[in-house]
């Protein structure tokens, strides 16, 4: 069995015989170390959760397991054999099936055909429909599902399509089924069905690797959990031996009860104590957008910085997008600058004085082939044109001013923005809003994937701007940023704001507890009872994972 | 997760690529930027050296300019569409619609001929407005109904020529209006009028793309639509604009086409024009993925295809071989682009 000791691994806590052992896995992409010594051990007939923040390396590790990526180094032992899958097909032949959020099946063919796609039973060279339908029914029965297997797949809802995909995995005699955030598009009842099927798989001796952001589900169905952070495996535990709070703390790399050192960020702590409060700037009430937002409220004054904390999938990003009118809302009200705001879209919100720096710079921020100059002034173009013609002189003046002011490192304003480092791209995107003199700036993970120096610079800049009267709504997964940078902190869980705390009331343990439980549960810190008892309340639906 | 292509062993994050890669990258960049121009110069040199007696005549130059003008005019609109990440397959049909509408007006009795030039002016303006409406219909399907551009414009590619045939009952419309036909047959200082129109359109489009907010929005939408939307770019309006411009330029090319032939044949005006225009855009170095575009490149691309065809024909190759060789030239041009965009 285990030859090398894992950090925080307790071999005596009920581990089953191993089916899969990945050890010392490293993987580098251009400019990024995705994995540095990650490990993953899954026992036979075990439901194993894999958790971690965005960028922790979960997806890369799974892709290496399923043959979608090749590892740089490390060992993978599957069913007693050292393996190196060269493709997802090879992994599938060996007994590793992966079921993604989007079902990769053929919608217009029947359920039975989908289960046996590519391996249809034949008789005298023709399809043996009766055998195929009978076998399909048998497989589904093993999962306790009865469906008319001749119905086309598209008639089923997403959950049942997943069941079909699971039946297909079973038909491959899979030993391990990987479920990549399977519940993100399911409603509560469908989730329960899926869990029943997962338990069915387990009874059939099949192991399940379950990637999820939803802690309640993890406690409802998993036996063990592997926690990843920064490309490494930081803990592997049996579910009954780890509290939710501890799990969250481990995921974020925090020690419970640890006395936090101040001054880990570029935020100025002196300013925080001499906090100014201007007139109300933003008031968002009961924002709803199914399934990710279920009643988020917050308010913001001029010159105030609010930190928005929460785990991945808690609805943080959705709040930001809702205020900016990037997504339509199902319900709720937004007031901005003292009056009701019903923005038709981002352009409208921008005119009102709001800017949004999105979470994903590549997908939502930069226009890769356009220059620094053009990226920087993209939102400001309407103010830089006369009769549609860009005033190059004024454009250049603005660009030069912000390049100097933010210390953007580019060979020239004409350099394509995709050639810049992440930190400099982020500065360009900040400048895109700052040159419009906004009243409210929404920053979604403003320092993710940025080197330490640029990080501190950006944090100091946020402080400086707030000092000049700018309101900032800052979403961050880094607790330091929330703790040191925000005048007040709003905590989100399951699409709701569960608490709004003043800077003085905020502590790391308090935040962790709110993020994990949705309420402050001091008992949970000391209590050693089975966490499942606290968590029987099923999740009330689904959230979108990180975008 | 930070995705990306797998790295070859030996490369690390701190030393992502050996130094010479940079110069190679630059060389390929230069090659991409000037490949078209170089190829064009080579083609011209070849003709000047080996074919001077035929090529360096006023007549030959006129023929080449006349033949290329329609393609360039359509391809300029196509460049804008492609720059937004779209494509317009309906341009040939738009030419046919504009052509038959113009011919119908020219041949009609209802036109108030007693007002000087009014009928002629209507025969210029009405057809282009008609196809502008069809261009807006393309944009509606693409921007509002979210249908993929290739499918959305396929609708009018198929039905547009049918509409043109219905307008004139499928018959060829012959006419003779020398003053009106100046856009296809006239010359100014010996230069064909359509070549002058072509140059003006290229110049204006290049300037619009480089200097106006609209031009930058076109590239922004093609480069990253969601980011553009979040930066306040009026994405829907930009899409309407490019499909309407593309339709109007195709309409203008349709008018030139019937002016040259003194007849409007709904079955043949602008036939295969969509393919010629897309080829010219691709050879010119505009990325078919959107976000990067060059109008001058499109002009050069059109001229390369035109001169390749002309050269091969004067060398005595049969039409069938000319097609094969031209296709090979297009493939080569696109491959050069692909390498340098890596």
């Amino acid at each position: 069995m285990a030859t090398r000791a894992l950090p925080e691994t307790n071999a005596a806590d009920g581990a089953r015989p191993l089916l899969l052992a990945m050890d010392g896995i490293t993987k580098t992409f251009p400019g990024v170390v995705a994995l540095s010594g990650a490990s993953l051990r899954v026992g036979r007939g075990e439901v194993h959760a894999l958790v971690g923040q965005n960028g922790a390396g979960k997806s890369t590790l799974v892709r290496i397991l399923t043959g979608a990526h090749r590892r740089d180094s490390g060992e993978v032992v599957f069913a007693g054999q050292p393996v190196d899958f060269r493709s997802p097909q090879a992994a599938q032949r060996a007994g590793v099936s992966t079921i993604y959020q989007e079902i990769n099946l053929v919608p217009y063919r029947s359920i039975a055909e989908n289960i046996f796609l590519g391996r249809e039973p034949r008789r005298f060279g023709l399809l043996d429909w009766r055998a195929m339908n009978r076998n399909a029914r048998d497989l589904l029965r093993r999962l306790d599902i009865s469906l008319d297997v001749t119905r086309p797949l598209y008639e089923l809802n997403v959950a049942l399509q997943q069941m079909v995909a699971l039946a297909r995995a079973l038909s491959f005699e899979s030993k391990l089924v990987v479920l990549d955030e399977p519940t993100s598009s399911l409603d509560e009842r469908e989730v329960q069905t899926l869990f029943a099927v997962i338990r069915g798989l387990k009874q059939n001796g099949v192991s399940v690797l379950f990637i999820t952001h939803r802690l309640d589900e993890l406690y409802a169905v998993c036996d063990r959990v592997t926690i990843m952070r920064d490309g490494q495996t930081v803990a592997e535990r049996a579910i009954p031996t780890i509290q939710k709070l501890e799990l969250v703390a481990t995921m974020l790399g925090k020690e419970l009860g640890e006395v936090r050192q101040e001054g880990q960020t570029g935020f100025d702590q002196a300013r925080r104590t001499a906090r100014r409060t201007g007139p109300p700037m933003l008031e968002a009430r009961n924002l709803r957008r199914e399934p990710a937002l279920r009643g988020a409220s917050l308010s913001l004054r001029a010159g105030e910085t609010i930190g928005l904390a929460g785990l991945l999938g808690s609805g943080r990003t959705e709040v930001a997008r809702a205020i900016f009118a990037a997504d339509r809302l199902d319900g709720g009200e937004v007031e901005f600058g003292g009056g009701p705001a019903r923005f038709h879209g981002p352009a409208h919100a921008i005119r009102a004085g709001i800017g949004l720096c999105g979470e994903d710079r590549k997908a939502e921020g930069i226009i890769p082939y356009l220059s620094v100059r053009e990226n920087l002034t993209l939102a400001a173009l309407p103010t830089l044109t006369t009769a549609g013609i860009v005033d190059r002189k004024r454009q250049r003046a603005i660009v030069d001013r912000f390049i100097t002011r933010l210390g953007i490192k580019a060979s020239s304003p004409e350099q394509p923005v995709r050639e810049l480092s992440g930190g400099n791209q982020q500065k360009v995107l900040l400048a895109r809003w700052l040159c419009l003199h906004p009243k409210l700036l929404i920053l979604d993970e403003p320092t993710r994937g940025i080197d330490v120096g640029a990080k501190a610079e950006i944090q100091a800049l946020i402080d400086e701007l707030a000092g000049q009267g700018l309101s900032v709504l800052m979403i961050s997964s880094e607790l330091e940023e929330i703790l040191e940078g925000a005048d007040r902190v709003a905590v989100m869980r399951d699409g709701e704001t569960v608490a709004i705390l003043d800077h003085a009331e905020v502590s790391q343990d308090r935040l962790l507890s709110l993020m994990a439980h949705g309420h402050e549960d001091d008992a949970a810190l000391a209590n050693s009872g089975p966490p499942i008892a606290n968590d029987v309340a099923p999740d009330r639906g689904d959230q979108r994972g990180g975008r | 997760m930070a995705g990306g292509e797998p790295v070859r062993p030996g490369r690390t994050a701190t030393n992502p690529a050996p130094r010479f890669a940079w110069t190679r990258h630059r060389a390929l960049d230069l090659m991409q930027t000037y490949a078209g121009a170089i190829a064009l110069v080579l083609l011209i040199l070849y003709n000047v050296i080996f074919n001077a007696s035929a090529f360096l005549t006023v007549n030959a130059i006129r023929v080449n300019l006349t033949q290329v003008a329609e393609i360039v005019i359509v391809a300029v609109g196509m460049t804008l569409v492609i720059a937004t990440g779209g494509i317009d397959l309906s341009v040939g049909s738009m030419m046919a619609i504009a052509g038959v509408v113009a011919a119908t007006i020219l041949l009609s009795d209802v036109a108030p001929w007693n007002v000087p030039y009014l009928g002629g002016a209507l025969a210029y303006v009405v057809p282009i407005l008609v196809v502008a409406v069809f261009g807006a219909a393309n944009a509606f399907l693409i921007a509002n109904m979210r249908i993929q551009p290739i499918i959305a414009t396929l609708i009018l590619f198929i039905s547009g020529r049918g509409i043109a045939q219905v307008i004139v009952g499928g018959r060829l419309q012959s006419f003779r209006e020398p003053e009106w036909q100046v856009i296809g047959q006239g010359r100014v200082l010996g230069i064909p009028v359509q070549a002058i129109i072509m140059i003006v359109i290229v110049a204006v489009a290049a300037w619009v793309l480089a200097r106006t907010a609209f031009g930058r929005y076109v590239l922004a939408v093609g480069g990253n639509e969601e980011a553009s939307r979040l930066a306040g770019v009026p994405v829907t309006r930009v899409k309407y604009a490019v499909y309407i411009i593309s339709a109007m330029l195709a309409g203008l090319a349709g008018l030139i086409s019937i002016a040259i032939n003194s007849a409007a044949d709904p079955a043949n005006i602008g036939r295969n024009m969509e393919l010629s225009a897309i080829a010219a855009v691709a050879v010119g170095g505009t990325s078919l993925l959107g976000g990067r575009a060059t109008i001058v490149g499109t002009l050069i691309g059109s001229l390369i295809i035109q001169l390749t065809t002309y050269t091969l024909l004067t060398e005595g190759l049969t039409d069938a071989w000319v097609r094969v060789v031209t296709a090979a030239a297009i493939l080569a041009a696109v491959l050069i682009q692909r390498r340098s965009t890596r």
Side-chain angles (χ1 to χ4, degrees), chain A residues 288-290 321-322 325-331 343-344, chain B residues 229:
Chain A
R288 281 183 296 108
R289 176 183 163 82
E290 288 299 324
R321 291 178 61 92
D327 296 327
R328 261 175 230 276
L329 280 175
D330 296 337
F343 301 131
H344 309 303
Chain B
R229 191 176 78 91

Side-chain angles (χ1 to χ4, degrees), chain A residues 85-399:
Chain A
F85 300 127
R86 281 157 197 277
S87 68
Q89 291 75 27
Q92 189 158 67
R93 274 196 299 275
V96 181
S97 289
T98 313
I99 291 160
Y100 297 99
Q101 288 173 44
E102 314 83 40
I103 313 291
N104 299 314
L105 292 175
V106 192
Y108 292 102
R109 308 280 17 149
S110 76
I111 293 169
E113 281 173 282
N114 270 293
I115 291 175
F116 290 103
L117 199 66
R119 300 163 300 126
E120 296 82 355
R122 278 154 212 266
R123 222 173 149 202
F124 313 122
L126 297 172
L127 283 187
D128 186 349
W129 285 95
R130 277 174 60 193
M132 186 157 83
N133 290 340
R134 192 179 56 238
N135 293 348
R137 264 190 298 272
D138 288 348
L139 281 166
L140 286 171
R141 197 167 303 134
R142 274 165 75 187
L143 297 173
D144 267 329
I145 303 169
S146 78
L147 276 175
D148 176 0
V149 297
T150 60
R151 274 170 69 192
L153 188 73
Y154 74 88
E155 289 184 2
L156 308 183
N157 62 29
V158 182
L160 284 173
Q161 292 191 18
Q162 276 181 347
M163 306 308 154
V164 173
L166 281 166
R168 179 174 164 82
L170 211 57
S171 77
F172 274 100
E173 303 292 326
S174 295
K175 300 183 186 80
L176 175 65
V177 176
V178 182
L179 293 169
D180 192 354
E181 289 192 49
T183 57
S184 53
S185 49
L186 304 187
D187 70 29
E188 186 199 325
R189 245 187 40 234
E190 294 168 336
V191 169
Q192 294 311 319
T193 318
L194 177 71
F195 285 178
V197 170
I198 289 177
R199 292 186 191 106
L201 283 174
K202 192 172 149 178
Q203 271 159 23
N204 281 296
V206 177
S207 306
V208 176
L209 183 61
F210 189 73
I211 301 162
T212 183
H213 291 126
R214 298 162 72 169
L215 300 184
D216 297 338
E217 291 177 359
L218 188 155
Y219 279 96
V221 76
C222 296
D223 302 312
R224 295 179 69 80
V225 58
T226 291
I227 305 170
M228 293 189 68
R229 192 176 70 235
D230 299 336
Q232 286 174 330
T233 300
V234 288
E236 193 220 316
R237 300 278 285 276
I239 287 292
T241 69
I242 184 165
Q243 300 281 341
K244 225 184 241 184
L245 190 54
E246 188 188 348
L247 194 147
V248 171
T250 313
M251 220 160 84
L252 303 184
K254 305 293 170 211
E255 293 282 328
L256 285 173
E258 162 194 34
V259 181
R260 208 176 50 83
Q261 294 227 322
E262 290 220 336
Q264 294 176 11
T265 63
F267 290 110
D268 177 10
Q269 291 312 290
R271 197 186 76 82
R272 212 62 54 202
T273 45
R275 176 162 64 89
R276 313 166 350 146
T277 45
M281 181 58 75
L282 174 81
E283 180 83 44
R285 273 187 298 269
N286 200 24
L287 302 182
R288 281 183 296 108
R289 176 183 163 82
E290 288 299 324
L293 271 184
R294 300 204 199 82
S297 305
L298 52 85
S299 64
L300 190 54
R301 292 174 170 276
E304 188 181 29
T305 302
I306 291 235
L308 195 52
L311 293 174
L312 207 61
S314 60
R316 302 174 306 188
T317 296
E318 286 76 8
V319 168
R321 291 178 61 92
I323 292 168
F324 193 60
D327 296 327
R328 261 175 230 276
L329 280 175
D330 296 337
E333 288 163 33
V334 178
E335 276 179 30
F336 182 69
R342 295 187 175 278
F343 301 131
H344 309 303
H348 193 184
I350 292 166
R351 280 197 299 278
I354 306 182
L356 168 73
C357 276
E359 180 182 20
D360 186 339
R361 273 193 299 281
K362 243 187 192 161
E364 314 171 326
I366 61 165
I367 318 285
Y369 288 101
L370 291 188
S371 66
V372 170
R373 171 176 57 83
E374 293 183 295
N375 269 283
L376 200 154
T377 54
L378 186 63
L381 273 188
T383 67
L384 291 174
T385 51
T386 341
I389 301 161
V390 180
D391 182 342
R392 286 262 179 141
K393 244 170 134 182
R394 274 170 59 210
Q395 192 187 30
R396 254 326 258 274
I398 287 180
V399 170

Side-chain angles (χ1 to χ4, degrees), chain B residues 175-263:
Chain B
F175 57 89
R176 231 185 82 75
E177 297 285 342
E179 287 187 342
W180 191 87
Q181 285 169 260
V182 40
I183 57 165
Q185 298 186 348
R187 285 176 204 160
V188 175
L189 304 171
I191 305 166
V193 169
Q194 62 264 53
I196 296 172
I197 296 175
M198 166 189 98
I199 296 294
V200 169
I201 286 172
V202 166
V204 169
W207 179 80
V208 164
L209 196 60
R211 288 302 165 103
T212 65
F214 167 69
R216 305 331 285 171
Y217 285 164
V218 165
L219 293 178
V221 169
N224 189 339
E225 186 171 329
E226 176 65 2
S228 300
R229 191 176 78 91
L230 292 177
V233 173
V235 174
T236 305
R237 261 190 289 160
V238 168
K239 288 188 175 173
Y240 267 86
V242 294
Y243 285 97
I244 289 173
I245 290 171
S246 173
M248 291 172 82
L249 288 176
L252 176 60
L255 300 188
I256 293 171
S257 167
I258 65 162
I260 292 172
N261 296 316
S262 302

